[in-house]
PDB file of all heavy atoms in Angstrom:
ATOM      1  N   PRO A 692      27.864 -14.456 -11.462  1.00 50.00           N
ATOM      2  CA  PRO A 692      28.027 -15.766 -12.190  1.00 50.00           C
ATOM      3  C   PRO A 692      28.668 -15.578 -13.518  1.00 50.00           C
ATOM      4  O   PRO A 692      28.643 -14.558 -14.142  1.00 50.00           O
ATOM      5  CB  PRO A 692      26.542 -16.156 -12.344  1.00 50.00           C
ATOM      6  CG  PRO A 692      25.802 -14.904 -12.436  1.00 50.00           C
ATOM      7  CD  PRO A 692      26.571 -13.957 -11.544  1.00 50.00           C
ATOM      8  N   GLU A 693      29.289 -16.680 -13.964  1.00 54.00           N
ATOM      9  CA  GLU A 693      29.863 -16.710 -15.305  1.00 54.00           C
ATOM     10  C   GLU A 693      28.714 -17.029 -16.233  1.00 54.00           C
ATOM     11  O   GLU A 693      27.861 -17.912 -15.976  1.00 54.00           O
ATOM     12  CB  GLU A 693      30.927 -17.768 -15.383  1.00 54.00           C
ATOM     13  CG  GLU A 693      32.096 -17.436 -14.470  1.00 54.00           C
ATOM     14  CD  GLU A 693      33.175 -18.596 -14.635  1.00 54.00           C
ATOM     15  OE1 GLU A 693      33.115 -19.340 -15.551  1.00 54.00           O
ATOM     16  OE2 GLU A 693      34.032 -18.676 -13.744  1.00 54.00           O
ATOM     17  N   ALA A 694      28.699 -16.365 -17.427  1.00 48.00           N
ATOM     18  CA  ALA A 694      27.639 -16.563 -18.360  1.00 48.00           C
ATOM     19  C   ALA A 694      27.766 -17.950 -19.017  1.00 48.00           C
ATOM     20  O   ALA A 694      28.850 -18.296 -19.417  1.00 48.00           O
ATOM     21  CB  ALA A 694      27.620 -15.460 -19.438  1.00 48.00           C
ATOM     22  N   PRO A 695      26.701 -18.727 -19.163  1.00 46.00           N
ATOM     23  CA  PRO A 695      26.810 -19.984 -19.825  1.00 46.00           C
ATOM     24  C   PRO A 695      27.046 -19.813 -21.334  1.00 46.00           C
ATOM     25  O   PRO A 695      26.401 -18.959 -21.917  1.00 46.00           O
ATOM     26  CB  PRO A 695      25.411 -20.615 -19.563  1.00 46.00           C
ATOM     27  CG  PRO A 695      24.556 -19.560 -19.081  1.00 46.00           C
ATOM     28  CD  PRO A 695      25.400 -18.464 -18.632  1.00 46.00           C
ATOM     29  N   ALA A 696      27.951 -20.601 -21.854  1.00 45.00           N
ATOM     30  CA  ALA A 696      28.328 -20.466 -23.261  1.00 45.00           C
ATOM     31  C   ALA A 696      27.568 -21.502 -24.127  1.00 45.00           C
ATOM     32  O   ALA A 696      28.147 -22.349 -24.758  1.00 45.00           O
ATOM     33  CB  ALA A 696      29.879 -20.610 -23.397  1.00 45.00           C
ATOM     34  N   ASP A 697      26.218 -21.410 -24.118  1.00 46.00           N
ATOM     35  CA  ASP A 697      25.470 -22.426 -24.789  1.00 46.00           C
ATOM     36  C   ASP A 697      24.231 -21.774 -25.339  1.00 46.00           C
ATOM     37  O   ASP A 697      23.901 -20.660 -25.024  1.00 46.00           O
ATOM     38  CB  ASP A 697      25.065 -23.480 -23.710  1.00 46.00           C
ATOM     39  CG  ASP A 697      24.243 -24.588 -24.371  1.00 46.00           C
ATOM     40  OD1 ASP A 697      24.880 -25.554 -24.814  1.00 46.00           O
ATOM     41  OD2 ASP A 697      23.056 -24.535 -24.368  1.00 46.00           O
ATOM     42  N   ALA A 698      23.540 -22.465 -26.166  1.00 42.00           N
ATOM     43  CA  ALA A 698      22.242 -21.981 -26.681  1.00 42.00           C
ATOM     44  C   ALA A 698      21.168 -21.773 -25.672  1.00 42.00           C
ATOM     45  O   ALA A 698      20.241 -21.065 -25.890  1.00 42.00           O
ATOM     46  CB  ALA A 698      21.741 -22.916 -27.833  1.00 42.00           C
ATOM     47  N   ASP A 699      21.362 -22.499 -24.546  1.00 46.00           N
ATOM     48  CA  ASP A 699      20.370 -22.363 -23.410  1.00 46.00           C
ATOM     49  C   ASP A 699      20.469 -20.926 -22.776  1.00 46.00           C
ATOM     50  O   ASP A 699      19.590 -20.530 -22.071  1.00 46.00           O
ATOM     51  CB  ASP A 699      20.632 -23.427 -22.319  1.00 46.00           C
ATOM     52  CG  ASP A 699      20.184 -24.792 -22.826  1.00 46.00           C
ATOM     53  OD1 ASP A 699      19.272 -24.804 -23.695  1.00 46.00           O
ATOM     54  OD2 ASP A 699      20.812 -25.758 -22.446  1.00 46.00           O
ATOM     55  N   ALA A 700      21.531 -20.210 -23.015  1.00 45.00           N
ATOM     56  CA  ALA A 700      21.626 -18.883 -22.534  1.00 45.00           C
ATOM     57  C   ALA A 700      20.528 -17.941 -23.115  1.00 45.00           C
ATOM     58  O   ALA A 700      20.094 -16.998 -22.478  1.00 45.00           O
ATOM     59  CB  ALA A 700      22.986 -18.280 -22.843  1.00 45.00           C
ATOM     60  N   ASP A 701      20.119 -18.310 -24.324  1.00 46.00           N
ATOM     61  CA  ASP A 701      18.993 -17.505 -24.895  1.00 46.00           C
ATOM     62  C   ASP A 701      17.721 -17.752 -24.142  1.00 46.00           C
ATOM     63  O   ASP A 701      16.941 -16.852 -23.979  1.00 46.00           O
ATOM     64  CB  ASP A 701      18.763 -17.952 -26.392  1.00 46.00           C
ATOM     65  CG  ASP A 701      19.997 -17.684 -27.275  1.00 46.00           C
ATOM     66  OD1 ASP A 701      20.657 -16.720 -26.917  1.00 46.00           O
ATOM     67  OD2 ASP A 701      20.087 -18.333 -28.280  1.00 46.00           O
ATOM     68  N   VAL A 702      17.532 -18.953 -23.577  1.00 45.00           N
ATOM     69  CA  VAL A 702      16.333 -19.259 -22.806  1.00 45.00           C
ATOM     70  C   VAL A 702      16.378 -18.436 -21.533  1.00 45.00           C
ATOM     71  O   VAL A 702      15.378 -17.889 -21.070  1.00 45.00           O
ATOM     72  CB  VAL A 702      16.261 -20.713 -22.456  1.00 45.00           C
ATOM     73  CG1 VAL A 702      15.132 -21.044 -21.509  1.00 45.00           C
ATOM     74  CG2 VAL A 702      16.035 -21.553 -23.778  1.00 45.00           C
ATOM     75  N   ILE A 703      17.592 -18.323 -20.958  1.00 45.00           N
ATOM     76  CA  ILE A 703      17.734 -17.611 -19.684  1.00 45.00           C
ATOM     77  C   ILE A 703      17.467 -16.129 -19.840  1.00 45.00           C
ATOM     78  O   ILE A 703      16.801 -15.490 -19.054  1.00 45.00           O
ATOM     79  CB  ILE A 703      19.153 -17.890 -19.060  1.00 45.00           C
ATOM     80  CG1 ILE A 703      19.267 -19.362 -18.781  1.00 45.00           C
ATOM     81  CG2 ILE A 703      19.316 -17.100 -17.833  1.00 45.00           C
ATOM     82  CD1 ILE A 703      20.698 -19.741 -18.457  1.00 45.00           C
ATOM     83  N   SER A 704      18.128 -15.576 -20.853  1.00 44.00           N
ATOM     84  CA  SER A 704      18.043 -14.134 -21.029  1.00 44.00           C
ATOM     85  C   SER A 704      16.824 -13.638 -21.786  1.00 44.00           C
ATOM     86  O   SER A 704      16.550 -12.488 -21.921  1.00 44.00           O
ATOM     87  CB  SER A 704      19.276 -13.642 -21.811  1.00 44.00           C
ATOM     88  OG  SER A 704      19.260 -14.187 -23.080  1.00 44.00           O
ATOM     89  N   SER A 705      15.997 -14.595 -22.310  1.00 41.00           N
ATOM     90  CA  SER A 705      14.828 -14.152 -23.055  1.00 41.00           C
ATOM     91  C   SER A 705      13.720 -13.564 -22.179  1.00 41.00           C
ATOM     92  O   SER A 705      12.797 -12.932 -22.657  1.00 41.00           O
ATOM     93  CB  SER A 705      14.218 -15.339 -23.832  1.00 41.00           C
ATOM     94  OG  SER A 705      13.744 -16.300 -22.925  1.00 41.00           O
ATOM     95  N   SER A 706      13.773 -13.801 -20.879  1.00 41.00           N
ATOM     96  CA  SER A 706      12.760 -13.291 -20.021  1.00 41.00           C
ATOM     97  C   SER A 706      13.176 -11.996 -19.424  1.00 41.00           C
ATOM     98  O   SER A 706      14.238 -11.898 -18.792  1.00 41.00           O
ATOM     99  CB  SER A 706      12.502 -14.218 -18.824  1.00 41.00           C
ATOM    100  OG  SER A 706      11.703 -13.677 -17.847  1.00 41.00           O
ATOM    101  N   SER A 707      12.480 -10.886 -19.770  1.00 40.00           N
ATOM    102  CA  SER A 707      12.701  -9.620 -19.190  1.00 40.00           C
ATOM    103  C   SER A 707      11.381  -9.115 -18.598  1.00 40.00           C
ATOM    104  O   SER A 707      10.864  -8.063 -18.953  1.00 40.00           O
ATOM    105  CB  SER A 707      13.246  -8.629 -20.304  1.00 40.00           C
ATOM    106  OG  SER A 707      12.290  -8.529 -21.295  1.00 40.00           O
ATOM    107  N   ALA A 708      10.872  -9.912 -17.684  1.00 39.00           N
ATOM    108  CA  ALA A 708       9.561  -9.634 -17.140  1.00 39.00           C
ATOM    109  C   ALA A 708       9.580  -8.466 -16.152  1.00 39.00           C
ATOM    110  O   ALA A 708       8.534  -7.992 -15.756  1.00 39.00           O
ATOM    111  CB  ALA A 708       8.983 -10.878 -16.418  1.00 39.00           C
ATOM    112  N   ASP A 709      10.778  -7.992 -15.753  1.00 40.00           N
ATOM    113  CA  ASP A 709      10.775  -7.029 -14.716  1.00 40.00           C
ATOM    114  C   ASP A 709      11.497  -5.772 -15.202  1.00 40.00           C
ATOM    115  O   ASP A 709      12.430  -5.259 -14.572  1.00 40.00           O
ATOM    116  CB  ASP A 709      11.487  -7.571 -13.462  1.00 40.00           C
ATOM    117  CG  ASP A 709      11.214  -6.716 -12.251  1.00 40.00           C
ATOM    118  OD1 ASP A 709      10.172  -6.084 -12.164  1.00 40.00           O
ATOM    119  OD2 ASP A 709      12.102  -6.656 -11.412  1.00 40.00           O
ATOM    120  N   GLU A 710      11.103  -5.240 -16.334  1.00 41.00           N
ATOM    121  CA  GLU A 710      11.764  -4.126 -16.933  1.00 41.00           C
ATOM    122  C   GLU A 710      11.382  -2.788 -16.201  1.00 41.00           C
ATOM    123  O   GLU A 710      12.095  -1.833 -16.235  1.00 41.00           O
ATOM    124  CB  GLU A 710      11.355  -3.944 -18.399  1.00 41.00           C
ATOM    125  CG  GLU A 710      11.913  -5.076 -19.242  1.00 41.00           C
ATOM    126  CD  GLU A 710      11.349  -5.005 -20.682  1.00 41.00           C
ATOM    127  OE1 GLU A 710      10.559  -4.140 -20.966  1.00 41.00           O
ATOM    128  OE2 GLU A 710      11.717  -5.868 -21.416  1.00 41.00           O
ATOM    129  N   ASP A 711      10.261  -2.735 -15.484  1.00 43.00           N
ATOM    130  CA  ASP A 711       9.809  -1.544 -14.869  1.00 43.00           C
ATOM    131  C   ASP A 711      10.440  -1.286 -13.501  1.00 43.00           C
ATOM    132  O   ASP A 711      10.130  -0.304 -12.829  1.00 43.00           O
ATOM    133  CB  ASP A 711       8.286  -1.499 -14.719  1.00 43.00           C
ATOM    134  CG  ASP A 711       7.816  -2.638 -13.880  1.00 43.00           C
ATOM    135  OD1 ASP A 711       8.475  -3.681 -13.718  1.00 43.00           O
ATOM    136  OD2 ASP A 711       6.707  -2.551 -13.266  1.00 43.00           O
ATOM    137  N   THR A 712      11.344  -2.158 -13.063  1.00 40.00           N
ATOM    138  CA  THR A 712      11.943  -1.903 -11.747  1.00 40.00           C
ATOM    139  C   THR A 712      13.345  -1.364 -11.884  1.00 40.00           C
ATOM    140  O   THR A 712      14.114  -1.411 -10.975  1.00 40.00           O
ATOM    141  CB  THR A 712      11.978  -3.268 -10.974  1.00 40.00           C
ATOM    142  OG1 THR A 712      12.718  -4.285 -11.720  1.00 40.00           O
ATOM    143  CG2 THR A 712      10.659  -3.775 -10.619  1.00 40.00           C
ATOM    144  N   GLU A 713      13.714  -0.801 -13.019  1.00 42.00           N
ATOM    145  CA  GLU A 713      14.987  -0.227 -13.186  1.00 42.00           C
ATOM    146  C   GLU A 713      15.246   0.989 -12.393  1.00 42.00           C
ATOM    147  O   GLU A 713      16.325   1.364 -12.097  1.00 42.00           O
ATOM    148  CB  GLU A 713      15.214   0.153 -14.683  1.00 42.00           C
ATOM    149  CG  GLU A 713      15.259  -1.053 -15.556  1.00 42.00           C
ATOM    150  CD  GLU A 713      15.329  -0.733 -17.044  1.00 42.00           C
ATOM    151  OE1 GLU A 713      15.399   0.470 -17.423  1.00 42.00           O
ATOM    152  OE2 GLU A 713      15.357  -1.638 -17.857  1.00 42.00           O
ATOM    153  N   ASP A 714      14.172   1.660 -11.931  1.00 45.00           N
ATOM    154  CA  ASP A 714      14.323   2.887 -11.088  1.00 45.00           C
ATOM    155  C   ASP A 714      14.507   2.593  -9.645  1.00 45.00           C
ATOM    156  O   ASP A 714      14.763   3.484  -8.934  1.00 45.00           O
ATOM    157  CB  ASP A 714      13.110   3.801 -11.328  1.00 45.00           C
ATOM    158  CG  ASP A 714      11.761   3.110 -10.875  1.00 45.00           C
ATOM    159  OD1 ASP A 714      11.728   1.837 -10.838  1.00 45.00           O
ATOM    160  OD2 ASP A 714      10.822   3.807 -10.580  1.00 45.00           O
TER     161      ASP A 714
END
Side-chain angles (χ1 to χ4, degrees):
E693 297 177 15
D697 184 88
D699 290 328
D701 296 335
V702 174
I703 297 169
S704 64
S705 67
S706 171
S707 58
D709 195 30
E710 295 172 357
D711 61 335
T712 58
E713 293 174 1
D714 60 338

